[in-house]
Amino acid sequence: MRFLRRKFIMAQLKKILAGSMALCMAGSMLTACGDDTSSKNDSKAAGGSDSVNTAELHGKESSDKSKKTYTIYCWNTEFQSRFEKYYWDKRDQALWDGVEVNWVQIENEGNAYQTKLDEALKNQAESEDKVDMFLVEADYSLKYANGDVALSVQDIGITADDMAEQYKYTQDVMTDANGNIKGLSWQATPGLFLYNTDIAEAVLGSSDPETVQAAVADWDKFTETAGKMKEQGYKMVSGYDDTYRCFSNTVSSPWVTDDKVSIDPQISEWVKQTKEYTDAEYNTKSSLWDDNWKAGMKIDSGVFGYFFSTWGIPFTLLPTTVDEEIKEDQSNAVEGNGGYGKWKACAGPQAYFWGGTWLCGAIDSDNIEITKDIMLKMTCDKDIMKAITEGEQDYTNNKAAIKELIDGGYSNPFLGGQDHLSLLTEAADKIDLSNKLSAYDQGCNENFQKAMKAYYDGTSTYEEAIEAFKSNITALYANLDVSGVTAE
């Protein structure tokens, strides 16, 4: 944002240039300044010691109404539900005296959320009505971490001791080139392979997680098992995108480096595998989030499994597989209600993560102490993290809380009483985001999957799909060089 950069960018310029090339994204979607850094951790030792205090007011004083309104930008009700259920009764009452919450929810279709958020943040310093907190996802986290719109949590007053039980990768996602952490998450999002136990029994002779894991332990075995599924009339996965995050989040290089787009070998491997699975009829030719993709989650659909990270189980699989929506009193959360109790989890062929949501305090907020209170309780408090996992099946970002649950004999009734937290812990410990993220990941991921769909459908060649991807990326990010992207 230009108005803030004039205020303090000179104090940071040397370190930012030393850590990475500054990134100013073009277009209305990207009004905040970001960074396509692929090695942002290299300069963490600097610690941001010369950085300007982001918690200071840099623009116009806010109105009395704004001071009594805590405004949060988000794209769905996930955090709001947790905020209301697990934070509100434990909030610092004195800080919230007379203050009301204003939820600004913008559906995350395409670039809509970022566009509206960026418009609000662009006017933040000169506006009397302030944004206080905004949420971001991993696919575009660097844009806000390396921009000048998010408060440093260090300046908010959150210490390393406060964050000691969090997974380091969740902090790395929102760490800027100077080592300042610009956002915290209440969740970690390692992924697993979720499978239909009825089909496992029919094809593999057992639905025991150890038996199923042996059948999907690596991609060769996964493909071999897919052949067995086909022989007995089942599909291994639902569609084109089911294995995508296993590959896209285990790349060795980011989508964009020095404004140049490249396709990592892992992404190419996904294309090769998905084309093979499509031609062999191992999938239903569905696309992520479409009706056909969701239909495969019904227990009698004939689809063996799905790759989901932690949020995918309670937010997607559970509500889609049941025949009757789960009641608040959980009285119908029993086997016999569709697929409830008939899914289980195993590690699958490859460790990966998918998604996650980060809480960011907005620079020039007029309620920074409230932001601190929310972050401490909703991302650092062991008891609250434990309660969220117990109540929501979420894998919270607190190792001590998760360990207590596992040691206490945790079981998930939706997964037939399985302790899937132990599997998630093993996966979470393997997450490494070094040299994997860029500020353009959402656009690159979505447009690449969209372009390849035509190839899998048979309506374009691979070469034509690559050209469509390049064209769409150029239209979305005019500053990027796609000349090195070829159909090899």
Side-chain angles (χ1 to χ4, degrees):
M1 295 171 65
R2 295 184 178 86
F3 58 80
L4 284 178
R5 192 178 304 109
R6 290 198 301 268
K7 300 284 186 181
F8 59 83
I9 195 64
M10 292 306 295
Q12 295 178 318
L13 188 55
K14 289 184 179 180
K15 283 189 176 183
I16 293 175
L17 290 176
S20 62
M21 179 176 290
L23 167 66
C24 288
M25 299 181 181
S28 61
M29 170 189 172
L30 303 172
T31 57
C33 209
D35 194 313
D36 68 352
T37 307
S38 62
S39 58
K40 60 186 175 65
N41 294 331
D42 293 346
S43 59
K44 285 183 182 178
S49 58
D50 295 333
S51 298
V52 170
N53 186 348
T54 57
E56 293 178 351
L57 182 67
H58 301 92
K60 183 183 293 185
E61 184 74 20
S62 59
S63 65
D64 290 339
K65 178 182 178 182
S66 181
K67 292 175 182 177
K68 291 297 182 180
T69 304
Y70 193 84
T71 297
I72 304 173
Y73 270 66
C74 56
W75 57 87
N76 63 20
T77 60
E78 180 185 19
F79 177 64
Q80 181 177 349
S81 66
R82 282 148 176 69
F83 178 96
E84 293 171 349
K85 188 173 180 180
Y86 299 98
Y87 168 75
W88 194 245
D89 288 344
K90 293 179 171 55
R91 71 191 187 280
D92 186 321
Q93 299 282 351
L95 292 177
W96 281 95
D97 185 28
V99 179
E100 297 181 353
V101 185
N102 174 34
W103 295 96
V104 181
Q105 183 181 327
I106 302 157
E107 286 192 20
N108 201 10
E109 291 291 332
N111 303 323
Y113 173 69
Q114 289 185 63
T115 299
K116 292 295 185 181
L117 173 61
D118 291 344
E119 288 174 359
L121 295 176
K122 180 180 180 180
N123 298 317
Q124 176 87 331
E126 301 307 318
S127 174
E128 293 184 354
D129 296 316
K130 309 295 189 182
V131 177
D132 295 296
M133 176 177 283
F134 59 93
L135 277 55
V136 301
E137 295 182 284
D139 277 356
Y140 50 87
S141 59
L142 281 188
K143 170 185 166 182
Y144 296 97
N146 284 313
D148 50 14
V149 295
L151 292 161
S152 157
V153 301
Q154 293 94 328
D155 289 343
I156 292 173
I158 296 173
T159 69
D161 285 343
D162 293 327
M163 302 180 288
E165 294 297 332
Q166 295 181 351
Y167 284 96
K168 183 177 180 295
Y169 96 86
T170 67
Q171 297 171 9
D172 291 344
V173 167
M174 287 301 297
T175 300
D176 71 10
N178 284 337
N180 299 305
I181 300 173
K182 298 290 191 68
L184 298 176
S185 180
W186 77 88
Q187 59 186 176
T189 57
L192 300 173
F193 181 63
L194 281 295
Y195 62 89
N196 182 316
T197 56
D198 285 352
I199 297 176
E201 293 282 351
V203 178
L204 303 176
S206 172
S207 60
D208 181 80
E210 286 75 20
T211 299
V212 177
Q213 176 59 24
V216 298
D218 55 43
W219 287 119
D220 287 340
K221 291 180 179 178
F222 194 89
T223 301
E224 180 183 344
T225 299
K228 294 178 182 179
M229 292 290 163
K230 180 188 176 183
E231 289 174 1
Q232 297 197 37
Y234 301 108
K235 304 294 185 182
M236 188 67 178
V237 292
S238 179
Y240 303 144
D241 310 304
D242 283 271
T243 65
Y244 182 76
R245 291 292 175 168
C246 296
F247 293 97
S248 69
N249 286 345
T250 55
V251 294
S252 58
S253 60
W255 271 110
V256 179
T257 303
D258 296 333
D259 285 350
K260 295 180 180 179
V261 180
S262 63
I263 298 175
D264 187 87
Q266 280 285 85
I267 301 293
S268 298
E269 190 62 29
W270 169 73
V271 175
K272 179 182 176 182
Q273 183 201 73
T274 305
K275 179 62 173 171
E276 175 189 348
Y277 280 22
T278 303
D279 292 346
E281 299 181 343
Y282 293 165
N283 63 42
T284 69
K285 298 185 178 181
S286 69
S287 294
L288 191 65
W289 309 121
D290 72 18
D291 289 341
N292 187 24
W293 181 76
K294 289 184 286 188
M297 297 177 203
K298 292 298 183 181
I299 203 66
D300 58 354
S301 70
V303 173
F304 180 49
Y306 287 80
F307 288 92
F308 276 124
S309 68
T310 48
W311 53 265
I313 300 172
F315 269 90
T316 307
L317 182 58
L318 190 160
T320 306
T321 195
V322 296
D323 294 332
E324 182 183 74
E325 183 179 353
I326 301 299
K327 298 176 182 178
E328 188 172 347
D329 65 4
Q330 300 290 300
S331 59
N332 61 343
V334 295
E335 187 171 330
N337 182 3
Y340 195 96
K342 289 200 166 188
W343 290 85
K344 276 187 165 49
C346 64
Q350 189 166 324
Y352 71 100
F353 85 101
W354 182 7
T357 301
W358 280 260
L359 314 180
C360 302
I363 285 182
D364 272 317
S365 163
D366 44 28
N367 286 297
I368 293 176
E369 285 301 312
I370 290 180
T371 297
K372 178 181 178 181
D373 190 55
I374 294 172
M375 286 186 167
L376 283 174
K377 289 185 172 66
M378 289 298 290
T379 75
C380 303
D381 186 293
K382 184 190 69 173
D383 293 334
I384 292 177
M385 297 296 95
K386 185 177 176 181
I388 291 175
T389 297
E390 289 178 306
E392 312 299 331
Q393 300 179 22
D394 209 348
Y395 188 85
T396 42
N397 189 20
N398 189 290
K399 295 179 182 180
I402 297 297
K403 186 177 186 304
E404 280 191 11
L405 287 168
I406 293 172
D407 291 347
Y410 174 86
S411 65
N412 187 324
F414 172 67
L415 299 178
Q418 183 183 9
D419 166 23
H420 75 309
L421 296 184
S422 295
L423 291 172
L424 289 168
T425 297
E426 293 177 13
D429 286 335
K430 297 176 183 177
I431 298 175
D432 177 12
L433 296 184
S434 58
N435 202 35
K436 288 179 172 61
L437 300 178
S438 80
Y440 304 94
D441 288 354
Q442 181 181 21
C444 289
N445 284 324
E446 291 178 356
N447 280 282
F448 192 78
Q449 289 171 285
K450 179 181 178 181
M452 289 304 113
K453 183 180 186 301
Y455 170 52
Y456 303 141
D457 282 342
T459 58
S460 80
T461 65
Y462 180 58
E463 290 75 16
E464 289 170 339
I466 289 294
E467 289 304 312
F469 168 68
K470 291 166 65 175
S471 177
N472 290 337
I473 289 300
T474 299
L476 187 59
Y477 306 121
N479 58 309
L480 296 186
D481 178 1
V482 298
S483 61
V485 177
T486 60
E488 295 180 356

